[in-house]
Amino acid sequence: MHQQAFEKQCTAEEKRHDQATTSIRNPRLALFALALGTFAIGTGEFGSNGIIQLFAADLDVTIPVATYAITAYAFGVMLGSPAITLLAARVNRRTLLLGLVALFLIGNGLSAVAPNLALLVVFRFIAGSVQGAFFGAGAVVAAYVYGPGRGGKAFATVMGDSPSPPSSAHRSAPSSGRTPAGAPCTGPWSSSACSPAQPW
């Protein structure tokens, strides 16, 4: 689905690459940066699911209420990403990607220090609004780097790390959010924090 959405843009960038010499000095480093950005954004999205009991306890709210922060991220992807993509259609892709990374860092940094759930919801929405725009712009830049006839490989380079964050985050984040083996279920580890993970 994502590949079809950005197929025309990638094709256009392939043609542009064929007509002009690329100004990217280190293509491999550029592609690595794009893949790393995808991994970071994916981890930021799915990793929060595994530590929900921690920030629920920290903000003194129930887990069902804390899921509003997860929903806010989803709304950011659904509403914020298309808006950014449309508004930044004429912006240089390098500038756009750097701006999106900065916005991602700001959104997640503020989320980490949010004093209440209301602000956390706002900051998670901001962080989520980066995702779709980054994937789209990243795929276009990767297509330009790879050159004609390699748009599919470019897209795979950018999105190839996307399935990995969910799996790795779901393995690591939940374990970091539970009580260590043998530790008593008291204090912040009490009640739901000590219970086995529930399917969402």
Side-chain angles (χ1 to χ4, degrees):
M1 181 179 67
H2 286 90
Q3 186 170 0
Q4 293 176 352
F6 301 110
E7 183 176 1
K8 292 183 178 180
Q9 288 179 304
C10 290
T11 301
E13 288 300 317
E14 291 176 21
K15 293 179 179 179
R16 191 163 71 90
H17 182 281
D18 193 32
Q19 296 170 356
T21 304
T22 178
S23 60
I24 299 178
R25 297 180 180 179
N26 195 331
R28 290 186 178 181
L29 182 61
L31 294 172
F32 174 77
L34 292 173
L36 183 62
T38 302
F39 181 85
I41 292 174
T43 302
E45 175 187 5
F46 292 95
S48 59
N49 298 340
I51 60 172
I52 187 171
Q53 65 271 28
L54 289 182
F55 65 78
D58 187 56
L59 298 175
D60 195 24
V61 296
T62 63
I63 288 183
V65 172
T67 58
Y68 293 162
I70 309 297
T71 304
Y73 189 99
F75 273 108
V77 176
M78 183 177 67
L79 301 176
S81 292
I84 292 177
T85 301
L86 290 174
L87 293 174
R90 297 184 179 276
V91 177
N92 177 274
R93 289 293 177 263
R94 180 176 181 272
T95 302
L96 175 60
L97 287 170
L98 290 175
L100 291 173
V101 170
L103 187 60
F104 172 76
L105 293 174
I106 291 172
N108 282 280
L110 292 176
S111 296
V113 297
N116 54 60
L117 183 63
L119 287 177
L120 178 61
V121 166
V122 173
F123 298 148
R124 290 301 292 167
F125 179 89
I126 293 174
S129 65
V130 171
Q131 182 168 313
F134 183 92
F135 289 170
V140 171
V141 171
Y144 177 79
V145 173
Y146 271 112
R150 306 181 72 183
K153 185 174 182 178
F155 188 85
T157 298
V158 176
M159 297 298 295
D161 280 329
S162 184
S164 300
S167 59
S168 60
H170 278 280
R171 287 195 298 267
S172 60
S175 61
S176 66
R178 296 197 186 116
T179 178
C185 283
T186 58
W189 303 110
S190 59
S191 63
S192 57
C194 289
S195 61
Q198 300 296 324
W200 300 110

